[in-house]
Amino acid sequence: MRVALLSGGSGGAKLARGLLDVVGAEGLTVVANTGDDAEVYGVHVSPDPDLVTYWLADAIDERGYGIRGDTWEVMSALKTAGRPTWFRLGDRDLAMCLVRTELLADGRRLTDAHAAVVEGMGVGARVLPMCDEPVRTRIEARGRSLPFQEFMIADRAEGPIEGLEFTGAGSARPTPEVLAAIAEADVVLIGPSNPVISIGPILAVPGMPEALRATSAPVVAMSPFVGGEVVKGPTRLFCDHAGLEPDASAMVGAYGDLLDGVVADEPVDGVPALETDTLMGDPDARRRVAAATVEFAKSLLR
Ligand code: GDP
């Protein structure tokens, strides 16, 4: 059984971890958003691919980002040196960014550079950046245009959002690895990630929607709304900007004809739907939700 999962960093990453139990490392390929990537402290930070990787390695910290039990010596030293440290990177997290940055400096593709991080974390599944070209999400709010991380962390995600741009997306292409994963999958899933800023940049890469339409695998999205609420993060803020209600039906509308089915904890009309509790708060729940989603997707015909 081969599953390709499109994912942001947290909701999608939890589903990825559940899928690892259900289809095994051999069967799982995650295509992760790189719109949140940034250059900080001289390294290439890739938040969503790293979050997915740390989840798959059972190394994610309870904070929801970074590596469990990490230390902060580099941040302390930078602070002592009078440097800004608003972007918090633990020492081991920074080491993984160094692995990636070194390979990029050697002229390697982002796909290969992140594969070294995946291997370094002992993960057997594939975690693929959506593309090799730089795509950067920029947010316009309160009269300013900011890189995504600066808006989220330094500006504390203060809305309302006035505009959104995925710079570089127009000239990016899905990598051969991404195209192969989607074409050869038995099931393609869109994780319960923010549809606007996590899945949005992935679908903004020309060739990606076409690949999803062309695959013979059913394409199923999971709603990121649980009990009508966002579990964590700024999904609501961005849905408000995109004119999307915070519910599964609006998400289905946003993904349009890409979907063959949807998984949500609320009724959805107009597309085959599996209604089930989608909260993935512990390993059992992640496994149950992942197994039910794969079974449902397999039952759908294209
Ligand atoms: P980010 O890149 O870290 O913002 O993460 P994502 O975009 O991948 O995920 C954010 C979304 O995940 C939020 O809208 C949450 O509601 C959703 N989410 C988090 N945990 C769960 C869960 O257990 N179940 C479901 N269905 N959604 C979740």
Side-chain angles (χ1 to χ4, degrees), residues 33-50 86-87 89 97 100-101 104 110 134-137 147-150 153:
N33 166 42
T34 55
D36 302 358
D37 284 18
E39 305 288 333
V40 192
Y41 314 129
V43 296
H44 182 114
V45 184
S46 212
D48 284 359
D50 281 353
W86 58 267
F87 193 92
L89 267 182
C97 294
R100 174 167 40 240
T101 307
L104 288 173
L110 185 59
V135 174
R136 296 290 180 268
T137 299
F148 183 72
Q149 300 298 346
E150 233 177 290
I153 304 171

Side-chain angles (χ1 to χ4, degrees), residues 1 22 187 189 274 289-300:
M1 183 71 190
V22 175
V187 162
L189 302 177
L274 170 68
V289 171
T293 300
V294 169
E295 276 313 303
F296 167 67
K298 276 191 334 195
S299 74
L300 299 174

Side-chain angles (χ1 to χ4, degrees), residues 92-209:
R92 290 171 61 202
D93 203 357
L94 178 62
M96 292 303 111
C97 294
L98 286 166
V99 167
R100 174 167 40 240
T101 307
E102 203 172 16
L103 288 166
L104 288 173
D106 268 355
R108 304 284 292 276
R109 301 185 303 143
L110 185 59
T111 299
D112 298 331
H114 188 71
V117 172
V118 173
E119 197 190 331
M121 291 299 299
V123 169
R126 283 146 309 286
V127 181
L128 305 174
M130 64 194 194
C131 58
D132 286 324
E133 301 84 351
V135 174
R136 296 290 180 268
T137 299
R138 290 189 70 90
I139 311 295
E140 270 173 53
R142 296 178 295 130
R144 296 198 298 160
S145 165
L146 291 175
F148 183 72
Q149 300 298 346
E150 233 177 290
F151 171 75
M152 288 299 297
I153 304 171
D155 250 42
R156 297 173 194 281
E158 224 180 286
I161 312 285
E162 290 149 6
L164 190 61
E165 202 187 346
F166 306 131
T167 59
S171 45
R173 292 291 172 271
T175 61
E177 290 85 350
V178 166
L179 291 175
I182 292 172
E184 291 162 14
D186 299 303
V187 162
V188 176
L189 302 177
I190 301 180
S193 292
N194 184 322
V196 184
I197 47 157
S198 292
I199 304 300
I202 303 179
L203 298 180
V205 175
M208 199 71 84

Side-chain angles (χ1 to χ4, degrees), residues 7-14 33 36 48 51 64 148 152 192-195 197-199 222-226 229-236 278-281:
S7 179
S10 62
K14 287 189 202 170
N33 166 42
D36 302 358
D48 284 359
L51 266 170
F148 183 72
M152 288 299 297
S193 292
N194 184 322
I197 47 157
S198 292
I199 304 300
M222 184 181 295
S223 169
F225 305 107
V226 177
E229 302 283 344
V230 168
V231 180
K232 184 172 169 285
T235 298
R236 190 63 198 265
T278 61
L279 188 60
M280 295 179 283

